[in-house]
Amino acid sequence: MQSILTETKTSRSQTGNSKKNTVDRRLKALNIAIKRNQYHQDALIEILHKAQESYGYLEPEILEYIARQLKLPLSRVYGVATFYHLFSLKPSGVHSCVVCLGTACYVKGGGKITSAIEEKLGIHAGETTSDNQVSLMTARCIGACGIAPAVVFDGNVTGKQDPETVLQQIKAWQSEAE
Amino acid sequence: MDLTELLKIANAERNKQKSIRVHCCTSTGCQAANSLSVKNNLATAVKESGLSDRVEVVGVGCMGFCGRGPLVQIDPEDTLYEEVTPEDAPSIIDALNGGVVKPIQGDSQHPFFARQMRIVRQNTGKVDPESIEEYIAVGGYQSLYKAIYDLTPTEIVQEISKSGLRGRGGGGYPTGLKWATVAKMAGEQKYVICNGDEGDPGAFMDRSVLESDPHLVLEGMAIAGYAVGANHGYIYVRAEYPLAIQRLQKAIQQAKRYGILGSQIFESPFDFKIDIRIGAGAFVCGEETALIQSIEGKRGNPVPRPPYPAESGLWKWPTLINNVETLANIAAIIREGADWYSSIGTENSKGTKIFALTGKIRNNGLIEVPMGISLREIVEEMGGGVPEGEIKAVQTGGPSGGCIPASMLDIPVDYDSLSKIGSMMGSGGMVVMDRATSMVEVAQFYMEFCREESCGKCVPCRAGTVQLDALLTKIVNKKATMDDLTKLEALCQMVKDTSLCGLGITAPNPVLSTLRYFKEEYLELIQANNLDVSLTS
């Protein structure tokens, strides 16, 4: 464990003390989750959820740390982390845009929304823009079929979208960053 | 807590409730349309108009008409308002005082509502899902009390068997039989699992039930636990449903505080605790053996059956796995009796089923109808038909189901009729498609879904779905020949016959059913290729 702490600390030491505190807080949240689950190996998915929530994504050192804490082989932890779609081993952008491609959204043009964003941002679904601003993802039905096509902007479900409204939101994010 | 105390809570809550209740939907769909601001503005309007002594604003669960949200309904006069904006709030409250009613008023007697029969969704849209007292006030947890004190576990299993209830998750396995198998297994530990991993794209009834009436599911699970001799339950919910998870957590805490969950429920020797397990985005985890693996913290790979989970499930102990909607039927069956329940529906499909009516249709949303109702009634009368043009097909059962052509709309909707024509009930998604939808593209859409969601454990599914997807893509891109079509048909049969779990076994269904009813679309695309070939040569 010591390795992550020192590594992350040194890499961010230029930015001052505040960053150091965030690192500690993130680790603390993870440790609380592990203790709350009493180091039970079957709580692996819960703990990975918590780790991703605090760190944003699952970096290799975090997976190693969790494996050691739960006394599980790293292969098992890595296997679970890569099996489930919601776990990400890559850092994501500042903003996230998840286009639902469930059947109802697909029939009502969810696919067109995805291609419009892909064209506009020059990235594919599952990728992040080079300025690290926007991550584009697709989902397999978020259960908001009544208001299809649905798009989730930074965790907020928005219904009845079309390529124009979605591009507007992305433009707003981009101008916010400038 | 005993029955007197339960009734006391119910009475106190009923007395506390004001004579006019303004119900505002706070489920995911309506929240996305800004219903929380609507609710706040309604509450402010009530305060400002001085009606606080007889009017209250209550956040409730899903009213079903999700396509027209946010929805506001006034109880008891049953006025419905659709697509309400926060600015509409004052005029709605004004109307209670004899003011002018705005044109946003909807029709609560529309066939969409009038044709429904609500058993599972009886309380949804009427009670605050975050308040256990409101659930108790409408008779909640009395079935659990009755189960513990008036019935023996054997009698409960018999009652469920007699009711004819079948699994609502898709398989349609008789629920009573499943309960009886788990009940007669020896074992010092048994588990009850509620399968809330509603992965079928186009289905959201389980989300709605969990968000709108979480206590109903908890009560069903506790009764199931008592009947089969389990004292620990897990609810497995998709991580994509954060509101459902949050409301379940709250509901479990509230029930524990009242001694309705936990140890010595209603001061009886029966203990039952419920934990939530959150999925992480894998469709295959809806399959029961994969779901068990996932609860154990492993990759969601299915394992061969037998042994069935009823004999050897979670941590190798006998385990009862039921779907959310199945468990949500239990309290009503115990309360009203098996004879009442079995009088609803058809000979082999009893009770009601919730369907998610979506796609190219006027009235989007959730409906609960008695089994055996015709598909035409659902789509044309309740759903109001397609907005433009003609209906072409209705897809039921998600990636495991099939497409029903418009010419067969008169079939009754029940387990057997649907599987006879090559589709299935599935979890209840109904996606309506109009003439503009290409059925080959729909088949390809589902195959791509299954290809990505295949867990990779067995070869027929892992490799078969990749090949099927490639063949379908070739056809869609007008690059295919008749040989490819023959290959497609043969491969579908092979994947169906040799895959390990339900995902692979049913993956070819959308292709097979579109081939059965819309073969001309495949042939047209293939002929278009032949034409190109002959032109260039």
Side-chain angles (χ1 to χ4, degrees):
Chain A
M1 175 55 230
Q2 206 50 45
S3 68
I4 329 177
L5 254 183
T6 41
E7 228 172 84
T8 4
K9 267 183 185 171
T10 42
S11 66
R12 297 179 185 211
S13 56
Q14 295 98 331
T15 46
N17 266 338
S18 63
K19 282 280 178 188
K20 223 188 275 178
N21 290 338
T22 17
V23 171
D24 290 340
R25 219 178 298 138
R26 293 186 300 185
L27 183 66
K28 208 172 164 189
L30 177 58
N31 279 332
I32 289 173
I34 294 173
K35 283 194 185 122
R36 185 169 290 156
N37 285 291
Q38 297 166 333
Y39 297 84
H40 281 171
Q41 299 180 333
D42 56 81
L44 176 60
I45 295 174
E46 261 68 32
I47 290 164
L48 288 174
H49 269 300
K50 198 74 205 171
Q52 178 154 309
E53 198 185 304
S54 356
Y55 285 85
Y57 73 107
L58 301 171
E59 37 188 324
E61 289 86 353
I62 298 291
L63 295 181
E64 274 172 38
Y65 178 66
I66 293 172
R68 228 172 300 133
Q69 292 293 309
L70 299 185
K71 298 197 168 57
L72 280 170
L74 180 58
S75 60
R76 168 80 189 281
V77 177
Y78 183 77
V80 169
T82 48
F83 182 86
Y84 294 95
H85 301 308
L86 292 182
F87 295 134
S88 166
L89 275 65
K90 286 181 297 191
S92 55
V94 179
H95 296 287
S96 75
C97 174
V98 183
V99 184
C100 180
L101 287 183
T103 322
C105 292
Y106 172 78
V107 169
K108 287 194 148 181
K112 285 186 195 119
I113 294 178
T114 318
S115 0
I117 305 173
E118 284 180 335
E119 199 182 312
K120 169 88 186 160
L121 296 177
I123 53 169
H124 289 104
E127 294 175 355
T128 304
T129 50
S130 52
D131 60 355
N132 207 24
Q133 276 300 312
V134 184
S135 292
L136 173 64
M137 282 158 281
T138 55
R140 295 303 193 185
C141 195
I142 52 165
C145 317
I147 49 170
V151 180
V152 190
F153 297 110
D154 285 339
N156 295 318
V157 181
T158 324
K160 298 179 184 168
Q161 293 292 298
D162 57 44
E164 264 172 50
T165 52
V166 174
L167 290 181
Q168 256 170 22
Q169 175 64 53
I170 287 177
K171 223 171 154 187
W173 280 341
Q174 285 172 332
S175 50
E176 201 180 282
E178 286 159 11
Chain B
M1 171 77 85
D2 56 19
L3 189 60
T4 348
E5 279 177 64
L6 193 69
L7 295 176
K8 215 193 265 172
I9 296 169
N11 265 330
E13 176 62 28
R14 277 195 292 265
N15 290 336
K16 206 183 87 192
Q17 290 180 2
K18 295 183 181 150
S19 56
I20 298 177
R21 280 163 64 90
V22 179
H23 294 148
C24 179
C25 176
T26 55
S27 280
T28 300
C30 284
Q31 273 200 20
N34 206 12
S35 74
L36 290 182
S37 307
V38 171
K39 188 182 155 226
N40 283 340
N41 284 16
L42 283 167
T44 319
V46 168
K47 212 181 273 169
E48 283 173 359
S49 59
L51 292 171
S52 302
D53 54 329
R54 56 187 182 100
V55 181
E56 62 182 338
V57 179
V58 189
V60 295
C62 179
M63 296 183 210
F65 208 0
C66 310
R68 295 268 179 84
L71 298 170
V72 171
Q73 184 244 351
I74 316 285
D75 208 29
E77 60 174 59
D78 200 19
T79 319
L80 181 76
Y81 297 99
E82 297 166 355
E83 296 182 333
V84 180
T85 61
E87 292 73 41
D88 292 328
S91 71
I92 289 175
I93 301 301
D94 229 23
L96 292 174
N97 248 350
V100 187
V101 181
K102 293 264 289 185
I104 48 166
Q105 194 174 337
D107 178 10
S108 57
Q109 296 311 311
H110 187 278
F112 184 87
F113 296 106
R115 288 286 178 95
Q116 293 198 42
M117 179 172 192
R118 290 160 154 249
I119 295 175
V120 172
R121 289 173 55 78
Q122 195 179 23
N123 307 325
T124 61
K126 296 196 176 73
V127 300
D128 179 355
E130 301 194 5
S131 156
I132 190 172
E133 290 83 6
E134 290 210 4
Y135 180 68
I136 293 174
V138 292
Y141 288 115
Q142 284 181 28
S143 296
L144 177 60
Y145 188 90
K146 182 177 172 187
I148 296 175
Y149 283 105
D150 300 347
L151 299 168
T152 63
T154 322
E155 282 170 339
I156 298 172
V157 173
Q158 278 168 357
E159 198 71 4
I160 299 299
S161 302
K162 225 170 75 184
S163 74
L165 177 65
R166 292 169 66 175
R168 297 289 191 249
Y173 191 78
T175 308
L177 205 55
K178 216 180 214 179
W179 286 31
T181 316
V182 181
K184 69 167 188 257
M185 290 300 297
E188 54 194 87
Q189 181 72 49
K190 289 180 191 176
Y191 292 99
V192 172
I193 296 177
C194 170
N195 184 347
D197 190 53
E198 184 176 50
D200 275 11
F204 56 104
M205 56 288 300
D206 292 350
R207 170 181 68 72
S208 165
V209 171
L210 293 172
E211 280 178 9
S212 309
D213 207 1
H215 288 285
L216 184 67
V217 181
L218 300 184
E219 186 173 4
M221 282 180 81
I223 295 172
Y226 179 73
V228 303
N231 52 32
H232 194 170
Y234 284 99
I235 306 187
Y236 189 90
V237 195
R238 303 175 76 201
E240 287 89 338
Y241 292 172
L243 189 64
I245 295 167
Q246 182 199 320
R247 289 195 173 154
L248 274 172
Q249 281 165 338
K250 199 161 187 177
I252 291 173
Q253 272 171 12
Q254 290 170 340
K256 272 205 276 202
R257 207 177 313 130
Y258 273 126
I260 296 173
L261 282 180
S263 41
Q264 302 189 334
I265 293 175
F266 289 124
E267 284 156 33
S268 73
F270 173 55
D271 301 340
F272 194 71
K273 70 166 183 170
I274 297 179
D275 285 320
I276 302 176
R277 281 289 153 111
I278 299 164
F283 174 68
V284 71
C285 287
E287 200 275 341
E288 55 182 17
T289 60
L291 187 144
I292 288 174
Q293 296 288 311
S294 187
I295 291 183
E296 292 179 3
K298 300 178 189 148
R299 289 164 70 95
N301 285 333
V303 291
R305 296 179 301 186
Y308 285 88
E311 300 158 46
S312 168
L314 192 58
W315 292 295
K316 306 265 183 277
W317 294 111
T319 304
L320 173 72
I321 301 193
N322 278 144
N323 163 267
V324 171
E325 195 185 333
T326 314
L327 288 166
N329 271 295
I330 302 300
I333 296 174
I334 297 298
R335 187 177 60 238
E336 309 282 343
D339 293 334
W340 163 80
Y341 195 81
S342 62
S343 68
I344 304 160
T346 65
E347 198 191 338
N348 290 320
S349 306
K350 299 296 186 191
T352 58
K353 175 81 192 84
I354 309 179
F355 291 102
L357 204 50
T358 58
K360 300 277 182 71
I361 189 148
R362 268 200 192 92
N363 306 328
N364 264 308
L366 289 179
I367 49 166
E368 183 173 357
V369 288
M371 295 273 193
I373 188 172
S374 80
L375 193 55
R376 188 179 299 282
E377 268 179 282
I378 294 182
V379 174
E380 292 185 352
E381 292 177 33
M382 304 178 77
V386 291
E388 287 158 37
E390 272 176 77
I391 170 172
K392 186 182 201 174
V394 180
Q395 210 281 344
T396 65
S400 319
C403 293
I404 302 167
S407 59
M408 298 178 89
L409 279 186
D410 286 311
I411 59 147
V413 176
D414 61 53
Y415 291 101
D416 310 312
S417 308
L418 287 178
S419 54
K420 217 179 284 163
I421 60 163
S423 186
M424 70 187 278
M425 179 85 84
S427 58
M430 267 188 192
V431 186
V432 180
M433 293 160 186
D434 63 6
R435 295 264 162 214
T437 320
S438 153
M439 300 316 282
V440 187
E441 282 179 29
V442 169
Q444 190 214 358
F445 166 82
Y446 281 118
M447 192 49 69
E448 192 198 329
F449 179 91
C450 290
R451 186 200 73 199
E452 282 189 15
E453 295 296 337
S454 171
C455 79
K457 178 168 174 167
C458 74
V459 181
C461 177
R462 181 180 68 221
T465 51
V466 173
Q467 295 307 322
L468 285 172
D469 185 31
L471 284 169
L472 286 166
T473 312
K474 211 169 159 188
I475 296 176
V476 168
N477 293 338
K478 300 181 184 166
K479 294 266 161 50
T481 60
M482 283 307 283
D483 280 352
D484 292 315
L485 192 64
T486 321
K487 258 191 239 167
L488 181 78
E489 283 173 321
L491 192 53
C492 277
Q493 209 51 50
M494 204 273 283
V495 172
K496 201 177 163 81
D497 293 341
T498 55
S499 290
L500 171 64
C501 82
L503 194 154
I505 294 170
T506 59
N509 281 357
V511 185
L512 290 171
S513 82
T514 45
L515 272 173
R516 187 163 159 188
Y517 299 114
F518 301 96
K519 195 164 190 173
E520 68 286 353
E521 292 194 24
Y522 285 86
L523 294 176
E524 263 168 42
L525 287 165
I526 290 169
Q527 271 153 12
N529 172 38
N530 291 346
L531 212 59
D532 288 348
V533 173
S534 58
L535 282 178
T536 45
S537 61

